[in-house]
Each structure stands twice: as structure tokens, then as C-alpha cells.
Amino acid sequence: MSAPPAPPLLLASTSPRRSAILHQLGVPFDAIAPRYEEVADEGADPVELVHAHARGKAVSVADEADGRPVLGVDTDVVLDGRIYGKPADATEAERMLEALGGRTHEVVSGLCLVTPGWEELHHEVTRVTFRPLTPRDLAVYVASEEWAGRAGSYAIQGLGAGLVERIEGDYLNVVGLPAALLVRLLAERFAGVYGFG
């Protein structure tokens, strides 16, 4: 007798990257836009900030989940304690990329999994080292407009891969969802239901 299908998670995000990662992992889900307004606070502790945003997103739609697990995720780029969020325009994107060039930054994601009975709130950190970037590198990448809507002004799964020299940790965390962390939590909380554990 086969097991019943796993109930789809409710993903509190409209990010195509997060959806693609869940598809890649074979995790069933429905996506919904969170009813949560992120407040940028560049002076905040990065871990506390991604925790607050991930939890805020998940909790904002939990009443529509019909008992299913709700997943909220938030990702920031951090260099020397400073948070590099989504750039407002091409000039800001170029400044961010110039600061990251030739240096190692951290991609910090908060992940919140909520059900009516419990809540899991964790974070993942991946270290990314950019190669030194020339003015031409910056101009070409900024002209691509791939930076738009991306924390830290780059997309590692796109042309931004050419900016990266080395990565330490979960690659998918840099794309937008800490997959290894999510799989561990699903295995612990729902052993076998989502195909893990």
C-alpha cells in the first residue's frame, strides 16, 4: 500500500528562484504572496533581521494554510557587518558590486517553518568570494540589468556566476533558499512524508 501524497507546503513567496528550488527538491508546494512589509534596517544584526523577515512572511499567511506547513525565507548579503539589500537603481548596484569585488561576503538566509502546533526558525550562512572586478566587468554586468531585485546586486545562477571566484557552503542558499537546512527540517519534523528522513 503506497503512502498518501504529502500535503503541499505553503510558500510565502512569489520568488521564481525559490519555487524552482522546491521543484528541484521534489517538494510539493503552493506559492502565495506574503502579507508582510519588509523594513530595511542596514544597522540591524543580519541574523536577527533575516529571522524577523522570514518569520513575518510565514506568519502573515499562516491563517490561509489549512493546517499545512508554511515556509518563509529571507536572504541578505553581508560584508563587514553591513547589509547589502536590493539596489534602488543601476548606480547603487554598481557601488554594491564594486564593494564586493575581490572580497568575501556572506549570504545570510533566515528560514521559518510554521504549523499550528510548532515553529522552526533557523538561519544559514554561505561565504562567497568575488574575483577582483574591473570597471569593464562592472559596466557589462550592470548593463545586463540582472542586478534588479537581487540582494547584493547579483544572481549567482545567471551571469553573476562570472563574478564569483569561490563559494563555501550551500550554493542554493545563494540562489535564494537554504535547501540543505530545509531538507533537514522536513526530515526531522515529517520523517518520510516529503521524501526525506
Side-chain angles (χ1 to χ4, degrees), residues 86-175:
K86 297 171 183 172
D89 54 32
T91 302
E92 188 178 8
E94 186 170 3
R95 274 200 307 268
M96 284 187 189
L97 293 166
E98 190 173 23
L100 299 175
R103 312 246 349 249
T104 299
H105 62 271
E106 294 182 331
V107 176
V108 183
S109 290
L111 184 150
C112 185
L113 200 58
V114 175
T115 70
W118 51 261
E119 175 182 304
E120 292 273 6
L121 183 61
H122 300 272
H123 70 279
E124 186 66 49
V125 178
T126 303
R127 293 171 53 84
V128 179
T129 302
F130 272 18
R131 64 181 175 80
L133 303 178
T134 66
R136 177 172 169 72
D137 292 329
L138 294 170
V140 167
Y141 191 73
V142 170
S144 78
E145 298 188 3
E146 187 178 74
W147 51 267
R150 317 280 183 158
S153 302
Y154 74 98
I156 196 168
Q157 73 278 16
L159 297 173
L163 309 175
V164 175
E165 184 175 275
R166 183 173 61 255
I167 180 171
E168 300 165 59
D170 184 349
Y171 167 81
L172 291 175
N173 184 41
V174 185
V175 177

